[in-house]
Amino acid sequence: MRKLIIFLIVLIVLLVAVDRVAVAGVQRDIATRIAASSDLAGTPTVTIEGIPFLTQAIAGRYPEVRFDLGTLTYNTVKVDNLRGAAYDVTAPLADVVQNRAQITAGRVRVQGTLSRSTVDKFAPRGVKIGGSGDRLTASGEVNLGVTKVKFDAEMRVEVVDGGIKLTADKVNGIPSNSAGFLTYTIPFKGKLPFDVKVTGVKAVPAGLEITAEASDVPLRG
């Protein structure tokens, strides 16, 4: 009985070791594919969620694969801490071993942050973007007739075709109907990873957090 117990313990340890070696190999392969699919200069960090891994590998399906792309720039718009997950990844083990391209994700969701300095970079001349906590603000001076007047306003953000639009709200110091110059758009004309489309944006202490999604995404070799 004692020998059987020792054998089972050794077998479990070996299976766990094989499981971890296998997951490391597939994570490297998927990381390479993500880099190729997204035209990345470096290799992202990839983590396959769920254990035991071997049951997922044999089935060729991974419910969730998380990745970290770091900081990237699209059409002069710098996105910090770009990370996300691929869901319902179909990766037949033979395709992974032979480096074939038949690997797809049912859905990909990414998030990243536009820093306060990036948001400020696209603001109209003379307008300074700041804020506190999850609130973005604009401030500056404007000429009303022959008088230079200071103003401040809260900024409302929304996703529009072609980018993220910021609109002045709760304007102080100047008439609301004179605040149209505060409205501007941060363009997203460049190709984001996996051809994702920006679907959401919200103000956060660091700036603006964006969310983007895509469906039926190929992870090419």
Side-chain angles (χ1 to χ4, degrees), residues 36-80:
S37 299
S38 307
D39 295 325
L40 302 180
T43 303
T45 301
V46 170
T47 304
I48 295 176
E49 300 292 329
I51 52 175
F53 165 78
L54 288 176
T55 58
Q56 298 183 62
I58 293 170
R61 300 188 73 88
Y62 304 87
E64 183 176 353
V65 178
R66 294 196 165 273
F67 52 83
D68 186 347
L69 305 179
T71 297
L72 300 175
T73 300
Y74 298 94
N75 191 38
T76 73
V77 180
K78 188 174 76 168
V79 184
D80 297 322

Side-chain angles (χ1 to χ4, degrees), residues 1-15:
M1 178 62 71
R2 183 180 178 184
K3 290 183 178 180
L4 176 60
I5 293 174
I6 293 175
F7 171 77
L8 290 175
I9 292 174
V10 171
L11 179 61
I12 291 171
V13 170
L14 287 174
L15 287 174

